[in-house]
PDB file of all heavy atoms in Angstrom:
ATOM      1  N   LEU P 502     -96.356  46.522 -49.567  1.00 84.00           N
ATOM      2  CA  LEU P 502     -96.915  46.080 -50.896  1.00 84.00           C
ATOM      3  C   LEU P 502     -95.739  45.812 -51.999  1.00 84.00           C
ATOM      4  O   LEU P 502     -95.679  44.724 -52.564  1.00 84.00           O
ATOM      5  CB  LEU P 502     -97.899  47.061 -51.481  1.00 84.00           C
ATOM      6  CG  LEU P 502     -99.302  46.894 -50.772  1.00 84.00           C
ATOM      7  CD1 LEU P 502    -100.161  48.046 -51.136  1.00 84.00           C
ATOM      8  CD2 LEU P 502     -99.928  45.590 -51.344  1.00 84.00           C
ATOM      9  N   ALA P 698     -81.272  72.011 -29.109  1.00 83.00           N
ATOM     10  CA  ALA P 698     -81.270  72.395 -27.810  1.00 83.00           C
ATOM     11  C   ALA P 698     -79.778  72.695 -27.269  1.00 83.00           C
ATOM     12  O   ALA P 698     -79.528  73.511 -26.470  1.00 83.00           O
ATOM     13  CB  ALA P 698     -81.901  71.265 -26.898  1.00 83.00           C
ATOM     14  N   GLY P 754     -80.053  62.182 -51.739  1.00 86.00           N
ATOM     15  CA  GLY P 754     -79.098  63.073 -51.040  1.00 86.00           C
ATOM     16  C   GLY P 754     -79.758  64.346 -50.642  1.00 86.00           C
ATOM     17  O   GLY P 754     -79.558  64.900 -49.557  1.00 86.00           O
ATOM     18  N   ILE P 785     -70.504  72.168 -64.278  1.00 84.00           N
ATOM     19  CA  ILE P 785     -69.706  71.135 -64.983  1.00 84.00           C
ATOM     20  C   ILE P 785     -70.663  70.249 -65.795  1.00 84.00           C
ATOM     21  O   ILE P 785     -70.433  69.932 -67.008  1.00 84.00           O
ATOM     22  CB  ILE P 785     -68.865  70.288 -64.019  1.00 84.00           C
ATOM     23  CG1 ILE P 785     -67.764  71.183 -63.569  1.00 84.00           C
ATOM     24  CG2 ILE P 785     -68.356  69.073 -64.667  1.00 84.00           C
ATOM     25  CD1 ILE P 785     -66.872  70.593 -62.489  1.00 84.00           C
ATOM     26  N   LEU P 837     -89.053  63.005 -69.502  1.00 86.00           N
ATOM     27  CA  LEU P 837     -88.063  63.100 -70.527  1.00 86.00           C
ATOM     28  C   LEU P 837     -87.417  61.630 -70.749  1.00 86.00           C
ATOM     29  O   LEU P 837     -87.185  61.253 -71.892  1.00 86.00           O
ATOM     30  CB  LEU P 837     -86.953  64.018 -70.048  1.00 86.00           C
ATOM     31  CG  LEU P 837     -87.252  65.523 -70.269  1.00 86.00           C
ATOM     32  CD1 LEU P 837     -86.221  66.398 -69.614  1.00 86.00           C
ATOM     33  CD2 LEU P 837     -87.391  65.833 -71.785  1.00 86.00           C
ATOM     34  N   TYR P 869     -94.050  65.120 -78.228  1.00 83.00           N
ATOM     35  CA  TYR P 869     -94.737  66.176 -77.392  1.00 83.00           C
ATOM     36  C   TYR P 869     -94.333  66.063 -75.965  1.00 83.00           C
ATOM     37  O   TYR P 869     -94.172  67.114 -75.235  1.00 83.00           O
ATOM     38  CB  TYR P 869     -96.233  66.194 -77.646  1.00 83.00           C
ATOM     39  CG  TYR P 869     -96.527  66.659 -78.997  1.00 83.00           C
ATOM     40  CD1 TYR P 869     -97.076  65.827 -79.985  1.00 83.00           C
ATOM     41  CD2 TYR P 869     -96.233  68.000 -79.374  1.00 83.00           C
ATOM     42  CE1 TYR P 869     -97.379  66.287 -81.271  1.00 83.00           C
ATOM     43  CE2 TYR P 869     -96.558  68.473 -80.626  1.00 83.00           C
ATOM     44  CZ  TYR P 869     -97.054  67.633 -81.597  1.00 83.00           C
ATOM     45  OH  TYR P 869     -97.303  68.046 -82.865  1.00 83.00           O
ATOM     46  N   ALA P 876     -89.462  71.785 -71.856  1.00 81.00           N
ATOM     47  CA  ALA P 876     -89.945  73.207 -71.460  1.00 81.00           C
ATOM     48  C   ALA P 876     -89.715  73.290 -70.028  1.00 81.00           C
ATOM     49  O   ALA P 876     -89.259  74.352 -69.516  1.00 81.00           O
ATOM     50  CB  ALA P 876     -91.357  73.408 -71.832  1.00 81.00           C
ATOM     51  N   THR P1063     -53.739  47.365 -60.531  1.00 67.00           N
ATOM     52  CA  THR P1063     -52.446  46.883 -60.943  1.00 67.00           C
ATOM     53  C   THR P1063     -51.759  46.175 -59.856  1.00 67.00           C
ATOM     54  O   THR P1063     -51.263  45.091 -60.038  1.00 67.00           O
ATOM     55  CB  THR P1063     -51.606  48.121 -61.473  1.00 67.00           C
ATOM     56  OG1 THR P1063     -52.361  48.940 -62.264  1.00 67.00           O
ATOM     57  CG2 THR P1063     -50.363  47.558 -62.267  1.00 67.00           C
ATOM     58  N   VAL P1115     -18.675  19.760 -23.890  1.00 91.00           N
ATOM     59  CA  VAL P1115     -19.364  19.719 -22.614  1.00 91.00           C
ATOM     60  C   VAL P1115     -18.386  20.073 -21.402  1.00 91.00           C
ATOM     61  O   VAL P1115     -18.685  20.846 -20.579  1.00 91.00           O
ATOM     62  CB  VAL P1115     -20.112  18.402 -22.362  1.00 91.00           C
ATOM     63  CG1 VAL P1115     -20.767  18.336 -21.058  1.00 91.00           C
ATOM     64  CG2 VAL P1115     -21.172  18.138 -23.509  1.00 91.00           C
TER      65      VAL P1115
END
Side-chain angles (χ1 to χ4, degrees):
Chain P
L502 279 166
I785 289 174
L837 284 170
Y869 289 113
T1063 316
V1115 176

